[in-house]
Amino acid sequence: LLQEMTSSIPFGLHSGYKNETLRLWQSSGSELHPHNLMLPLFITDESPDAKQDIPSLPGVSRWGVNSVLEFLRPNVENGLSSVLLFGVPEKVEKAGDGGAGETDDNPVMEAVRRIKKEFPNLTVACDVCLCPYTSHGHCGVLNDDAEGSINNRATLPCLASQALAFARAGCDIVAPSDMMDGRVLAIKNKLAEHGFGNKVSVLSYAVKFSSSFYGPFRDAAKSAPTFGDRKRYQLPCGSRGLAARAAQRDVSEGADMLMVKPGLAYLDLVRETKNSFPHHPMFIYQVSGEYAMLYHGAANGAFNLETTLMEVLTSMRRAGADVIISYFTPRVLEMIK
């Protein structure tokens, strides 16, 4: 029989994964540990003790600068090692340049200080973008033209100043999500000029696509643009070439870590980006629409949430993600502890 077999694997594959230990060996590099997860948090200025549930993201809330500490405590005890903060300002005066984002009126500033004081070993990242703080809801300063196009050059110093303000508040990572050309270099230069060059790292939303999967997030962050869309600066969903060039751009400007966003529909580009830059930690943002799909699918009996969630997260790790930013992080920490 063996002489008649022509397979390049004449004895088959089944013997290599016949029990749980062997299956784990075959899955090496795709395991999930607490350090592979980052928890996104929405910080509101409504009141320090606020807890605002988000209907489009069941189980997710906006937090005040006090209430977020109580929410974090059991998660830190379960191994949570990093968070990503988004400001949801409701009391600030918004302007065309988003300048309020770099002031203490931004609730993220106080949240960083309190979180680092309460949990000094928790790594804190701050999303850097103008959209929560601009009057028009776009991610950059606008030109004075009929189209309301982005003024990339004028936007860069605004982003760099916001990043510096987060650094001064005590964050460990700044994460520019705006998709402006040159923003990583502008931020790295600003941090270096003020003594934070070796203290605060840059996690770049390098490969960020224009996506309908962001819908619930825009509700949560109250950051939808007042006109138009973001297709002129976020990547078109069918583009591989632009994805590669965007990652190369940000690496050349000094990004410490890279992100692909969204996750599940873009795993091919996660793998391509990781292959191109194997020495840069790779992040996937499992975005709000992905969370909502899994939540509602399970709630309606389509599948078991925990089983399917672990399959999805494992596939992200297999594709090359070192860290997954997920609203499911508290649940996953309970599952794997």
Side-chain angles (χ1 to χ4, degrees), residues 115-314:
I115 290 171
K116 291 301 290 186
K117 181 178 180 180
E118 189 76 13
F119 309 106
N121 295 322
L122 186 64
T123 296
V124 175
C126 293
D127 180 84
V128 175
C129 197
L130 302 189
C131 62
Y133 315 102
T134 57
S135 53
H136 46 72
H138 278 282
C139 300
V141 177
L142 301 182
N143 287 309
D144 185 15
D145 57 26
E147 299 173 344
S149 60
I150 290 288
N151 186 329
N152 195 103
R153 184 184 295 272
T155 300
L156 298 184
C158 301
L159 294 168
S161 294
Q162 187 184 119
L164 176 61
F166 288 139
R168 285 172 166 162
C171 77
D172 304 287
I173 300 168
V174 290
S177 62
D178 55 281
M179 288 300 287
M180 299 298 120
D181 288 323
R183 89 271 204 203
V184 171
L185 182 59
I187 289 170
K188 293 290 280 191
N189 280 334
K190 179 70 80 170
L191 293 175
E193 289 168 6
H194 291 83
F196 293 99
N198 64 343
K199 298 176 182 178
V200 176
S201 56
V202 175
L203 163 61
S204 172
Y205 288 68
V207 185
K208 179 180 178 180
F209 290 88
S210 177
S211 174
S212 60
F213 286 108
Y214 302 152
F217 175 92
R218 288 171 182 166
D219 175 35
K222 301 183 179 181
S223 63
T226 58
F227 69 91
D229 54 39
R230 294 170 175 152
K231 292 181 179 179
R232 293 188 178 189
Y233 43 99
Q234 295 177 357
L235 302 179
C237 70
S239 173
R240 293 175 62 197
L242 280 172
R245 291 165 62 193
Q248 176 62 57
R249 173 198 64 193
D250 290 0
V251 168
S252 72
E253 293 179 10
D256 298 289
M257 297 161 282
L258 302 173
M259 186 194 304
V260 173
K261 177 186 179 184
L264 194 57
Y266 297 88
L267 293 186
D268 57 326
L269 296 173
V270 174
R271 173 43 60 192
E272 290 187 13
T273 306
K274 186 62 175 178
N275 285 347
S276 296
F277 305 103
H279 306 304
H280 282 68
M282 173 59 60
F283 286 64
I284 285 177
Y285 200 142
Q286 184 188 45
V287 299
S288 58
E290 297 175 78
Y291 173 93
M293 285 195 308
L294 290 171
Y295 180 95
H296 291 296
N300 285 279
F303 44 72
N304 177 274
L305 178 58
E306 292 192 353
T307 302
T308 307
L309 176 58
M310 290 303 293
E311 180 178 347
V312 169
L313 298 180
T314 299

Side-chain angles (χ1 to χ4, degrees), residues 29-32 36 313-322 324:
S30 62
E31 308 92 342
L32 276 171
N36 300 126
L313 298 180
T314 299
S315 75
M316 292 177 171
R317 291 278 288 128
R318 186 194 65 232
D322 300 296
I324 301 165

